[in-house]
Amino acid sequence: MLRPLYCPPGALLRQPPNKRTLLTLAIESSCDDTAVAILSRTPARTQLLFNERISSDNRAFRGVHPVITVQGHNSSLAPLVQRALLALPEQPASSSAANGRLQQKLDFVSVTRGPGIMANLAVGLNMAKGLAVAWDVPLLAVHHMQAHALTPRLVRALGMGMDMDIDMNIGHHGDRGHGADVAAKHSPEGPKFPFLTLLVSGGHTQLVHSAGLTNHRIIANTGDIAIGNLLDQTARVILPPEILNSSPDVMYGRLLETFAFPDASPSEYAAFFRPATSRLDEINPQPTSHSWTIPLPFRNTRRLAYSFSSIHTQVHRIAAANPAMDMHERRSLARHTMRAAFQHLASRLILALQDKPELLQDAGATPTLVVAGGVASNKFLMHVLRETLRARGFPNMRIIAPPVGFCTDNAAMIAWTGMEMFEAGWRSELGVRPVGRWPMEVDGGDGILGMDGWLRM
């Protein structure tokens, strides 16, 4: 399925005036999306010249099938790169030996090295190596989750608004496809380090303290399944068959949100969700109008970790015991499943802020929480986070999230991460291999630069 992604306008950037134009082509192939982007950065402007992805069709398996996805990458990547190269700008006439129609050369190639599915990563990495060799330019093999964490900095550079109350409505008015070039308002770079990052996707659930480009400390991690995986798997047993079967892809968590809250309005969220005003209030099970409840994980401990297996098990038990569940109960189950999962995210965040005051010491008057990854597009999640922080004594915490098109896996974020790493003086050896499991932090040290294959320019 071809998915032209939103390519927002360029924007002014505060850069040293002596920096020349930089061009990078980026490839993302860590899971089921084959994505390619071209990013241009000049002293006055950052612009996405191309940004598309093609998703493999896994609907027959109701989940990501590794064989199908790697076949999709092998089929889609080369044609997608070929189309992307046509979006490269022309060289100035004065520098062309012919008639000024020669396209500019890439300065470096960016690609996801990990984490992800090894075979899928290898397809993108090998293509990127080939392009780097053919163009005789450096390779930047970057960390996928680092890219998610840095995505708001890309969005700022592109001149897009990102405050949560605004961003909850960004991205729902249609994608503009590649090559969009519309005048943008001036926007400063940001968020500035340090900031907290809540990485919520199909493969990861992490609360991270981001102190620098490669300095990311894990505060809380999931010990079992990731929240995106939980939402997708519980949606399979909650959603009515007709809705499940009509899905254009296997992102069932997105359908679960729409089914649970058809209006997707703050008033609808407020009528259902009341934030816990204390730890005791949080511990007490949330009542429902049915015979079942979905308790909060880890409600009796202050352990800084995530666990979603109990929610997964309880929801499947409820569904198995009620095969003839009516629409009202299904919608209620969908709401309480998301409520428990999102309140669990919020509860660990509150505990981290209470038990680790150093997280806010260098954050200034307005500390920032970046929410990134596919689940960051969930509006109810944003409501739960905002209202919980407000109720528990952190009303000044600023929550920002990328527009919907930048929450899911995309090559634009890989291009931006490559750009930041390149400007910081890093590049990758051509012999680097894909990394299936690549933590951002290893034993308190830098997990990103701790991986082999980095070169200092």
Side-chain angles (χ1 to χ4, degrees):
M1 290 174 284
L2 176 61
R3 294 181 179 176
L5 299 184
Y6 179 65
C7 279
L12 296 176
L13 278 177
R14 295 176 181 174
Q15 297 186 60
N18 59 342
K19 285 199 173 183
R20 62 185 179 84
T21 302
L22 290 176
L23 277 171
T24 185
L25 180 144
I27 296 171
E28 153 61 23
S29 65
S30 62
C31 191
D32 60 331
D33 290 320
T34 309
V36 176
I38 293 181
L39 185 72
S40 168
R41 190 176 188 187
T42 73
R45 189 181 193 131
T46 291
Q47 184 183 11
L48 270 174
L49 305 179
F50 185 92
N51 188 29
E52 287 187 9
R53 75 170 182 262
I54 300 174
S55 300
S56 58
D57 190 348
N58 293 269
R59 288 175 294 177
F61 309 98
R62 293 198 168 178
V64 175
H65 193 292
V67 174
I68 298 300
T69 55
V70 77
Q71 289 176 350
H73 292 312
N74 280 313
S75 299
S76 302
L77 183 54
L80 199 54
V81 168
Q82 188 177 47
R83 287 205 302 275
L85 292 176
L86 296 176
L88 285 172
E90 294 179 357
Q91 291 185 13
S94 60
S95 64
S96 173
N99 54 9
R101 295 179 182 176
L102 294 180
Q103 291 174 305
Q104 291 185 29
K105 179 181 176 182
L106 297 170
D107 292 283
F108 59 97
V109 178
S110 305
V111 64
T112 304
R113 184 183 180 187
I117 302 173
M118 289 286 284
N120 298 16
L121 291 165
V123 176
L125 187 57
N126 288 334
M127 171 66 80
K129 288 180 181 180
L131 291 171
V133 170
W135 287 78
D136 190 25
V137 296
L139 175 74
L140 265 296
V142 304
H143 193 291
H144 181 85
M145 300 312 292
Q146 177 196 20
H148 273 303
L150 297 179
T151 297
R153 292 168 64 85
L154 163 67
V155 175
R156 278 284 188 245
L158 292 169
M160 302 179 68
M162 214 168 31
D163 291 338
M164 186 190 68
D165 290 338
I166 299 173
D167 285 356
M168 288 175 66
N169 296 315
I170 290 176
H172 293 279
H173 306 293
D175 292 337
R176 285 190 242 180
H178 67 80
D181 184 12
V182 181
K185 295 180 180 179
H186 173 76
S187 178
E189 283 187 87
K192 294 182 179 180
F193 299 112
F195 54 83
L196 285 173
T197 303
L198 188 60
L199 297 173
V200 282
S201 68
H204 295 80
T205 307
Q206 297 177 336
L207 179 61
V208 181
H209 184 249
S210 298
L213 179 59
T214 62
N215 185 358
H216 305 274
R217 181 162 62 96
I218 306 299
I219 306 301
N221 202 356
T222 181
D224 41 57
I225 62 174
I227 188 169
N229 195 9
L230 168 75
L231 297 178
D232 286 340
Q233 292 193 20
T234 53
R236 298 177 198 171
V237 298
I238 295 174
L239 294 174
E242 60 272 19
I243 294 180
L244 197 65
N245 294 333
S246 66
S247 176
D249 50 40
V250 295
M251 298 174 68
Y252 300 127
R254 183 176 57 195
L255 291 179
L256 189 69
E257 177 190 5
T258 304
F259 176 71
F261 298 101
D263 293 340
S265 65
S267 60
E268 188 179 29
Y269 302 143
F272 169 74
F273 176 76
R274 178 183 62 83
T277 57
S278 67
R279 178 76 175 135
L280 180 62
D281 190 15
E282 186 177 77
I283 291 173
N284 293 327
Q286 182 77 23
T288 71
S289 58
H290 308 282
S291 60
W292 46 261
T293 61
I294 303 179
L296 201 66
F298 290 172
R299 62 191 182 279
N300 295 318
T301 177
R302 296 182 72 89
R303 179 185 174 192
L304 288 179
Y306 294 112
S307 174
F308 299 97
S309 59
S310 63
I311 300 177
H312 181 278
T313 300
Q314 178 69 349
V315 171
H316 280 75
R317 283 176 180 168
I318 294 168
N322 298 271
M325 197 182 307
D326 62 24
M327 192 69 73
H328 171 73
E329 188 170 2
R330 285 180 185 273
R331 179 162 285 118
S332 180
L333 183 56
R335 290 185 172 190
H336 281 281
T337 298
M338 289 195 295
R339 189 272 313 161
F342 297 162
Q343 195 169 358
H344 181 42
L345 289 175
S347 73
R348 301 300 105 173
L349 170 62
I350 297 297
L351 290 176
L353 295 174
Q354 292 175 341
D355 296 350
K356 295 182 177 293
E358 66 272 15
L359 296 178
L360 299 179
Q361 286 176 355
D362 299 326
T366 308
T368 298
L369 174 69
V370 169
V371 187
V375 186
S377 63
N378 190 299
K379 295 181 181 181
F380 181 51
L381 167 61
M382 293 302 188
H383 178 84
V384 170
L385 290 173
R386 178 184 59 196
E387 295 304 312
T388 301
L389 285 166
R390 182 179 297 163
R392 299 294 291 277
F394 299 95
N396 294 329
M397 176 72 73
R398 181 175 175 229
I399 307 175
I400 59 176
V404 173
F406 290 116
C407 288
T408 54
D409 291 350
N410 63 89
M413 70 180 190
I414 304 302
W416 176 260
T417 304
M419 189 71 73
E420 289 218 51
M421 293 294 287
F422 183 83
E423 291 190 331
W426 295 103
R427 64 176 179 176
S428 302
E429 295 176 347
L430 288 174
V432 295
R433 297 182 297 275
V435 183
R437 294 182 180 273
W438 186 359
M440 297 176 74
E441 176 188 17
V442 178
D443 297 328
D446 187 351
I448 296 174
L449 293 179
M451 182 60 61
D452 63 355
W454 290 107
L455 298 171
R456 190 73 173 180
M457 291 188 288

